[in-house]
Amino acid sequence: MKEFELIQHIFQASIMADTRGRDDILLGIGDDCAQIAVPSDQSLVFSMDTLVEGRHFPFDADPVDIGYRAVASCVSDLAAMGAKPAFFTLGLTLPDSDPQWLAGLAQGMAELAEPIGLALVGGDTTKGPLTITLQVHGYVEKTLAVKRSTAQLGDDIYVTGLLGDAAAAVPIVTGEWQVSSERFDYFYERYWRPQHRLIFAMAMKRVAHAMMDISDGLAQDVQHILKASHKGAVLQASALPISVPLREWQPDSAVALALTGGDDYELCFTAAKTQADEVALIAQTLGLECTKVGEVVETGFVVQGYEGELSGWQHF
Amino acid sequence: MKEFELIQHIFQASIMADTRGRDDILLGIGDDCAQIAVPSDQSLVFSMDTLVEGRHFPFDADPVDIGYRAVASCVSDLAAMGAKPAFFTLGLTLPDSDPQWLAGLAQGMAELAEPIGLALVGGDTTKGPLTITLQVHGYVEKTLAVKRSTAQLGDDIYVTGLLGDAAAAVPIVTGEWQVSSERFDYFYERYWRPQHRLIFAMAMKRVAHAMMDISDGLAQDVQHILKASHKGAVLQASALPISVPLREWQPDSAVALALTGGDDYELCFTAAKTQADEVALIAQTLGLECTKVGEVVETGFVVQGYEGELSGWQHF
């Protein structure tokens, strides 16, 4: 099958390439470039992520899961800016062109992309070791994009959702550890189906001072905010939001996983203490757990009540 | 070296990350997303290309060459729309983090990117088999992007530059064939340093009816215009612009290489016969060869004076 027809046949057949009713998408797949008219009151934000088989997801994983999680991990960067998802491109390097595998990948991507209005508008397909590069694009008002560099002294530090489950799940999804079917189902879902925080982030963009997504572990990621903002932080280990299944299964390492495990794709943000009620109201309205885990100080980085290693996921 | 620091140290040290004086780039490398304010009278066009070592460029090639050509091949898609280059993202999958190799890659990219105002604003770096994914972005007025689908019956079909040299060069750059140093120098340059046609394309965007870049061979690529425009074409083999070095070196296969060889990154476009003087004037003013190679007819695809195979580069 020819390069051009490969993406077209499989992805255009899916609803992802359906760009009817989208005034912003002037040209989608099929020309030298895609063409977009960014709404005049919005700026464009985008993030590129590359996922390598055996490194960012296990060998021989279900393509539906791979597709869903690939989009989820990338969309998490849009949420971190408070942006509305708009469109994405897909660079696929494949060892062979297996139509069933590709249909699975497309299905998984569509499961997340379609309901949030993220349309596939272009990409490239090449032969080689399985590697997936996604660039997701969103819109946000110029002055409302939430950066990493704008945390303020005295801010509370919050995280959404629960931390540590995805990292704990790794030996389960790779098949290295055998667990009960109930435990398997919970952690499998937690690894492969991270829930996007887009709505919460869009609601929070006028409240949060600084925000980022947690992909490499809270301890490492929060330090990116601190470094960019020239601040320090004190976190409380006892405040970390940890699921009951994780506490029950791994009572001794749950806190370490919550602090240093990757792949959670939750948000970490800072907000003025005076906004605590506003933060709580937004979280409550959206039915999302949002936990204060520490506060911004002048300098340094301390996790009170934790003695272990603080380094997170590193690629080299 | 940490993932984050890898791109930053090497690429921010280069001038590619210099976004001073760029009103459109609100946020570059270093946050969850880059943020761009597209000029209000412009649309955004972009194209993603993935290059795999051993498939799209030879193993153990000079990283400076790889960098230059990676940007050139991708920029060629911007030219095909008549767009002005704006910024790019880079997804790098590397077997190891060799600072010298990376510095070479950055240098090659900057050699082309810097003079044309193409700023690096984001990307991702992962460990794995050497794969380079670029997404280049440009600006063009909403109604002036030159598509593939708008060739008109009776249009002349033109190509820029010379065809076939890059394909002929492959056994030279892979070291498979030994040739004289003069021949080596010419073809090595023709393979690794395709010249961008951006200025020509921007001048032509009000004249050309349909345009695309020639990456997979003229015969294959022109048919994408024909298919998208629901038209046919008659080309003249004798009209194909072929270099003197190629004619001298491979008199018997020069035409086949010009028709079906890939990697030329020239432009193919159609324009009304009444615009022939305008086309010639633009080409002459810019000092670029621009050759009429055929014309658009109702249906079918014929290359008069050529009897060989017409299939071009295919990835699967």
Side-chain angles (χ1 to χ4, degrees), chain A residues 46-65:
Chain A
F46 50 89
S47 175
M48 177 184 270
D49 274 320
T50 297
L51 306 172
V52 180
E53 185 179 43
R55 184 153 189 90
H56 299 93
F57 56 87
F59 287 103
D60 298 323
D62 183 337
V64 181
D65 287 337

Side-chain angles (χ1 to χ4, degrees), chain A residues 122-145:
Chain A
D124 194 11
T125 309
T126 57
K127 194 174 173 117
L130 181 55
T131 308
I132 301 171
T133 297
L134 281 164
Q135 185 160 315
V136 296
H137 308 70
Y139 303 140
V140 63
E141 297 84 349
K142 268 189 210 183
T143 57
L144 292 181

